[in-house]
Amino acid sequence: AALWLARRRDFSARKLVSLVETLIFYYKHGARFESWKVTLTQLLQALAQGQGEEPDSAWLAAVLRSRIAEADLDLHAYDRAHAQFTEILPRALALENGALISFCHHKLGQLAARRADFAAAYHHLAAALPPLDIARLPPQYRFPVYRTWTEVALLAADLPRARACAEKAYSLAMQVDSQLEAEPIYRWALGEIALAEGNLPR
């Protein structure tokens, strides 16, 4: 359906991005990262053929590139993913798109954590939150950042921060009725914290 829209040069930004998010959900849960990259690259090429014709083309291109970079992160192509997010972030800032700015910082934080650079990971995760507040975006944009921060804090053996971020992620998830998704992640985090503290019964 997304490629059909592209062939018709129907780049109504919200319509196409909604389809892209659905595709990514499908590809991510099936671990089909190469297919994810191929489809989004085709969409990006279709958009580039008429670059400038659509009012949101620069924004849409940046979104597509960011999600291609996310697939590279999941494929463990960390250098390539880092280079892409580093390139996309200034474009997101120029577009003043809070969600995209936050997404780039969030993923750069994940990449830093994979390299055990926890100071850089904390910096990027902290930078991921203000753009969401400025844009007044709802809680579902925030709780993934706090979830990642929980994981990074656990890797860094920063247990007070891990606990605080786990609590915050869970609280935000409850605000958007995501209990089925949030509860097991929250319980896992509490279990990891208890394990790190040597509290095996807990």
Side-chain angles (χ1 to χ4, degrees), residues 101-111 124-125 128 144-145 148:
I101 294 166
S102 176
F103 185 75
C104 289
H105 276 300
H106 182 186
K107 295 304 173 181
L108 285 167
Q110 285 185 319
L111 285 161
H124 282 295
L125 292 168
V145 177
T148 297

Side-chain angles (χ1 to χ4, degrees), residues 102-141:
S102 176
F103 185 75
C104 289
H105 276 300
H106 182 186
K107 295 304 173 181
L108 285 167
Q110 285 185 319
L111 285 161
R114 302 281 172 92
R115 293 174 167 142
D117 186 349
F118 300 121
Y122 280 4
H123 165 76
H124 282 295
L125 292 168
L129 295 169
L132 302 177
D133 295 329
I134 292 167
R136 297 182 180 179
L137 291 167
Q140 59 262 37
Y141 287 87

Side-chain angles (χ1 to χ4, degrees), residues 146 150 158-170 193:
Y146 281 104
T150 303
D158 184 353
L159 302 186
R161 193 187 299 264
R163 188 183 301 278
C165 290
E167 298 283 355
K168 184 69 174 177
Y170 186 66
I193 292 166

Side-chain angles (χ1 to χ4, degrees), residues 6 15-16 19-20 27 29-30 33 36 39-40 42 46 52 55 68 70 94 97 101 135 142 150 154 174 199:
K15 186 191 302 181
L16 188 54
L19 276 173
V20 166
Y27 286 141
H29 286 270
F33 304 117
W36 168 349
T39 303
L40 267 62
Q42 289 175 323
I68 291 169
E70 183 186 12
N97 187 289
I101 294 166
R142 290 176 184 78
T150 303
L154 280 166
M174 291 300 94
N199 188 343

Side-chain angles (χ1 to χ4, degrees), residues 146-155 162 165-166 169-170 181-196 202:
Y146 281 104
R147 282 180 182 170
T148 297
W149 213 335
T150 303
E151 294 169 13
V152 173
L154 280 166
L155 287 171
C165 290
Y170 186 66
E181 180 186 6
E183 187 77 24
I185 296 172
Y186 177 59
R187 296 296 172 192
W188 167 84
L190 294 182
E192 289 290 323
I193 292 166
L195 180 62
R202 174 71 173 168

